[in-house]
Amino acid sequence: EKASKAKESGIFIGRGSDGVRRIFAFEQVRFRPDDTPYLYVWTGTPEAYALAPANATLTRNLLLLVLATVLSLFISWLIGKKTLLSPIQSLVNLTRKFAQGDLGARSELKAKPDEFGTLTKAFHDMADTLVINQRTLRESEERFKTLFEYAPEAYYLNDFEGCFIDSNRKAEDLFGYKREELIGKNFFDIFYYS
């Protein structure tokens, strides 16, 4: 029917007499070009057979695409881990060590000329400054303790309730108590009842 209604040769897809989908091709045979066809030559190839190479190529290409995608994601993960995650983890570990009081801790990222290297150098500089400040504070504290302890006058520290917190040697002589005995006692109890 399709061949007889067509004006020239063609191709169509349909079910054959065996129920299998086929790709049919037909040719009209004529004595002269303008005559009505007296014969139709046609053949049908199962569609699955004709499309099998294309489907195999499509399946192969899809598998290659999935493999390339997985491979590129894995490579991206490796590069990301090396360039982002590892440096960030190194900086986190460094800051944890600083937080635990280990200001001498250092990271190997300082030598790299990128943002992480710059940030690591800033952390190292900050730690160095803190070490210097702590040393200066300790030295100042030692000088203050020495001045406090050996001052020619009696010095003592008390809280808002009047309890002794600390005293020097002259205060011990003045009140008649050792430093350990004074600490915790109330100034007014000692002063008024002595």
Side-chain angles (χ1 to χ4, degrees):
E1 184 179 324
K2 288 202 187 243
S4 65
K5 290 182 181 177
K7 297 202 188 285
E8 50 187 60
S9 305
I11 297 174
F12 67 92
I13 297 174
R15 294 217 179 267
S17 57
D18 57 358
V20 175
R21 275 183 60 91
R22 296 178 180 273
I23 300 173
F24 292 101
F26 62 89
E27 180 71 37
Q28 299 169 342
V29 180
R30 301 171 191 205
F31 286 115
R32 285 184 290 227
D34 294 339
D35 286 350
T36 305
Y38 73 93
L39 179 69
Y40 298 96
V41 177
W42 60 287
T43 182
T45 303
E47 186 180 37
Y49 177 75
L51 296 179
N55 286 339
T57 301
L58 177 64
T59 302
R60 184 191 75 228
N61 288 345
L62 286 175
L63 287 174
L64 286 174
L65 182 64
V66 167
L67 180 64
T69 302
V70 168
L71 186 61
S72 66
L73 287 174
F74 179 71
I75 290 171
S76 297
W77 176 78
L78 283 177
I79 291 171
K81 183 177 179 189
K82 181 173 175 57
T83 60
L84 288 176
L85 297 179
S86 291
I88 289 171
Q89 187 61 46
S90 177
L91 287 175
V92 167
N93 291 337
L94 182 64
T95 56
R96 283 190 180 135
K97 288 178 183 176
F98 287 168
Q100 294 170 351
D102 183 8
L103 296 177
R106 294 295 181 259
S107 172
E108 72 281 353
L109 295 176
K110 182 179 178 183
K112 296 183 179 181
D114 59 2
E115 289 83 7
F116 289 113
T118 303
L119 186 58
T120 303
K121 183 178 180 325
F123 276 125
H124 291 178
D125 293 345
M126 178 185 65
D128 292 341
T129 301
L130 286 172
V131 167
I132 290 168
N133 289 345
Q134 283 180 342
R135 186 178 325 121
T136 303
L137 183 63
R138 274 193 306 273
E139 290 169 359
S140 176
E141 198 173 278
E142 288 300 319
R143 281 194 304 272
F144 173 76
K145 282 183 182 178
T146 303
L147 287 171
F148 179 79
E149 185 65 31
Y150 295 105
E153 294 87 17
Y155 288 111
Y156 56 90
L157 301 171
N158 60 342
D159 60 17
F160 289 111
E161 284 85 34
C163 293
F164 283 94
I165 298 172
D166 201 359
S167 65
N168 67 356
R169 293 179 184 197
K170 285 290 186 176
E172 288 178 354
D173 295 341
L174 176 68
F175 293 115
Y177 291 97
K178 292 284 183 198
R179 174 182 289 149
E180 297 78 27
E181 296 170 329
L182 278 174
I183 294 175
K185 289 189 189 249
N186 192 291
F187 171 81
F188 298 104
D189 292 340
I190 293 174
F191 187 70
Y192 289 118
Y193 300 111
S194 305

